[in-house]
Amino acid sequence: MGQPVVHFEVIGKDGDRLQAYYSELFGWQIESDNEMGYGIVQREGNTNPDGIGIGGGVGRGPEGYDGHVTFYVEVPDVEAALTKAEELGGSRMMGPEEMGPDLVIGMFADPEGHVVGVVSGSQ
């Protein structure tokens, strides 16, 4: 059995504009009332009639960063996943980083430069 995609992310230069755009485009309810202004798209309320769908986030990246669109895959061990990604020709971009008491994330670029995230813990 494979590891599931559990989160998507759209990061760019103008987080407010992106949040407004995707909210209007797809009807997403985006909650960004947090210190980072990171807009959370909850899975609940963003699924089709069969219950299919994942939650995600839309926000602004660091100063000077153009941004990315990516997905996060749940893994048992972020460090092991990042190491394997590197062994297979990818490159580590960040992590592992603890983002909360039970949440660890990392990001890598695949051999063609596509950004992919890995996460373990509570989503």
Side-chain angles (χ1 to χ4, degrees):
M1 181 176 281
Q3 295 169 324
V5 173
V6 295
H7 187 80
F8 68 86
E9 186 170 70
V10 179
I11 299 296
K13 293 180 179 182
D14 187 338
D16 292 336
R17 182 173 178 217
L18 287 172
Q19 290 167 10
Y21 176 82
Y22 283 102
S23 179
E24 181 70 22
L25 179 63
F26 295 126
W28 292 345
Q29 295 178 355
I30 301 176
E31 300 292 328
S32 60
D33 187 19
N34 57 65
E35 68 182 48
M36 295 177 57
Y38 186 77
I40 302 292
V41 180
Q42 297 292 341
R43 180 185 181 280
E44 296 75 22
N46 288 301
T47 57
N48 70 12
D50 295 324
I52 298 171
I54 62 173
V58 182
R60 184 177 70 81
E63 190 67 36
Y65 181 63
D66 287 335
H68 62 265
V69 174
T70 195
F71 58 90
Y72 286 80
V73 176
E74 183 178 36
V75 297
D77 182 324
V78 170
E79 176 59 36
L82 292 171
T83 298
K84 186 171 183 178
E86 291 173 309
E87 290 170 356
L88 295 172
S91 58
R92 184 183 307 234
M93 294 180 64
M94 65 160 282
E97 284 192 24
E98 292 187 23
M99 301 302 285
D102 295 319
L103 182 64
V104 179
I105 68 168
M107 297 182 88
F108 66 92
D110 72 13
E112 292 191 8
H114 306 108
V115 178
V116 178
V118 287
V119 60
S120 68
S122 301
Q123 284 87 56

